Amino acid sequence: MLKQIELTGADVTKWMNWTSPAVLALSVTSAAHAVQYLSLEQAQKHAFPAATGFAVVQADRIWRAEAGGRLLGFFIFDRVIGKHLYIDYSIALDPAGRIRQVDILAYRESYGGEIRSPTWLAQFVGKSSTSPLQVGNDIRNISGATLSSHHVTEGVKRIMTIANRLK
Amino acid sequence: MRTASNSIRRARPLLGTFVEIAVADAALPAMHAAINAAFAVVRQVHELMSFHEEGSDVSRVNREAWARPVRVHAWTFQVLQTAIELHQRSAGAFDIAVAPVLQAMGLLPLALGDQLPSSDVRASSEAIALLPGRRVRFRHPDTRIDLGGVAKGFAVDRAVDALREHGIAAALVNAGGDLATFGPRAHAIHIRDPRAPDCLLCRLNVISGALASSAGGFDPFVSSHPKGPAIIDPRRRKPPRAILAATVRAPSCILADALTKVVMVAGRSAAPILEHYRAGALVLLADGRVQMTCDFESATCLAA
């Protein structure tokens, strides 16, 4: 019995209520989250640092990375829907068509309901990886229930079914 | 971290989520080289500890460790040691051997030729023996492990090491919400509200150390079932009910990651184990109240 009282006492001093949700609710209502990680050119350069040129295989989508006429691999740009908005990503393939790396180029998310606003959505229309997004400087570090990268993984699988036709 | 001219931020799909690395205060080529190295170690941890990849240490152990001792990578062994210590200190609230329960609930896939374990299977880390020479042996034929509750945090710690080894002085590594930071800056960390994932619960300022969050929702590295809960109470074999979400600050991300599960399952009685690991927690209770340990506020500075 005594032990239980001691534990309860310790418990009370260890945990405290936190009460200012009203203030915080205000601070998180306008919360577009858009990150431009790499431009298309930067992603190409990082995937194939030795490349002297990128020859277009399919416009805005597939390039051959070359160095002095020699094939170094392929660079593919793709876009999938994340939770609500597009995720731009790139796949670098070696000359044999195997995946070398997948990079996220741009990631967009929304908080607090602005996804329902057409004007908010309009800012993304026509944006390609070559025209970086500028949604303020609202780059956020977010912790919480983990977001799945499932859509990107599925996108990579889809791309790999057509990548066999390259080379 | 703000993307100033002398800082960069990149992301890759790893560990079933988006792993983001931001570094600052170094020359551009050095920052990219450091980030590449950090992504490479995250990928290595993924390949060693994935439940889903056939060639991972975890899959080999699950296939063979009942029949014979299985030698694993030093990192896998280190994670197993930490996990078993956490199991003991948490009175079973944290348990990497909960995998058969998750399999029975359809949250983890069965390996080829594996039988669905009987309902009385001893799902306990006590069934795992760690032997000299980094070898692992199971004491029970139905034992299966899943490192989903710690691997993300461990990967973040290794990424931080890689960045430091490359001479980086300020960085933030965020693996789907399990994150660690070092350097002179304070980082604003937004906590997602599990009741409405499009909304944020609060903002914390973190100067250095690790932070991880868990909620009753889906965790892609733990569960292959997108509707399934991420966390199961290993003793009741049910999802925890009293706590909707937990955020833990700890000296390392593996501890922060694992302790979120302990707090989700054990609730307020997790206070002593948090204290032991010099960790603090913030929890969202099912009734909507937010509570935290006394040291959490001073260590992280809640910001409105």
Side-chain angles (χ1 to χ4, degrees), chain B residues 80-98 123-128 234-235 258 262 273 277:
Chain B
L80 289 171
Q81 283 174 317
T82 305
I84 287 170
E85 185 191 307
L86 280 155
H87 178 253
Q88 290 159 352
R89 288 196 185 280
S90 69
F94 182 83
D95 195 347
I96 54 169
V98 75
S124 162
S125 297
E126 282 147 26
I128 303 161
R235 298 163 301 187
V262 175
I273 188 173
Y277 287 111

Side-chain angles (χ1 to χ4, degrees), chain B residues 131-160:
Chain B
L131 309 172
R134 302 196 320 249
R135 289 170 311 143
V136 184
R137 185 81 199 257
F138 287 165
R139 298 192 180 103
H140 193 282
D142 287 341
T143 300
R144 299 287 180 275
I145 59 164
D146 171 29
L147 298 183
V150 276
K152 270 207 294 273
F154 182 78
V156 168
D157 290 335
R158 297 291 72 75
V160 163

Side-chain angles (χ1 to χ4, degrees), chain A residues 3-111:
Chain A
K3 194 176 179 187
Q4 193 171 352
I5 290 166
E6 276 174 4
L7 274 175
T8 311
D11 196 39
V12 167
T13 57
K14 285 304 288 183
W15 295 90
M16 53 198 236
N17 277 315
W18 176 55
T19 48
S20 52
V23 180
L24 281 144
L26 283 175
S27 74
V28 296
T29 44
S30 65
H33 175 56
V35 189
Q36 178 81 33
Y37 292 107
L38 293 169
S39 69
L40 197 64
E41 290 74 17
Q42 285 171 331
Q44 287 177 333
K45 191 169 147 261
H46 287 302
F48 297 100
T52 52
F54 290 88
V56 174
V57 176
Q58 187 185 326
D60 298 328
R61 193 151 171 89
I62 307 173
W63 292 261
R64 284 167 58 94
E66 296 170 344
R70 189 167 57 91
L71 177 68
L72 298 180
F74 295 92
F75 181 90
I76 302 170
F77 170 79
D78 191 35
R79 169 176 269 197
V80 288
I81 289 278
K83 224 170 126 47
H84 302 295
L85 301 169
Y86 284 119
I87 298 168
D88 296 351
Y89 69 99
S90 67
I91 309 173
L93 304 178
D94 68 13
R98 287 182 299 250
I99 298 176
R100 278 206 357 210
Q101 66 188 56
V102 178
D103 268 292
I104 307 298
L105 306 191
Y107 183 86
R108 306 166 184 98
E109 235 189 309
S110 83
Y111 296 96

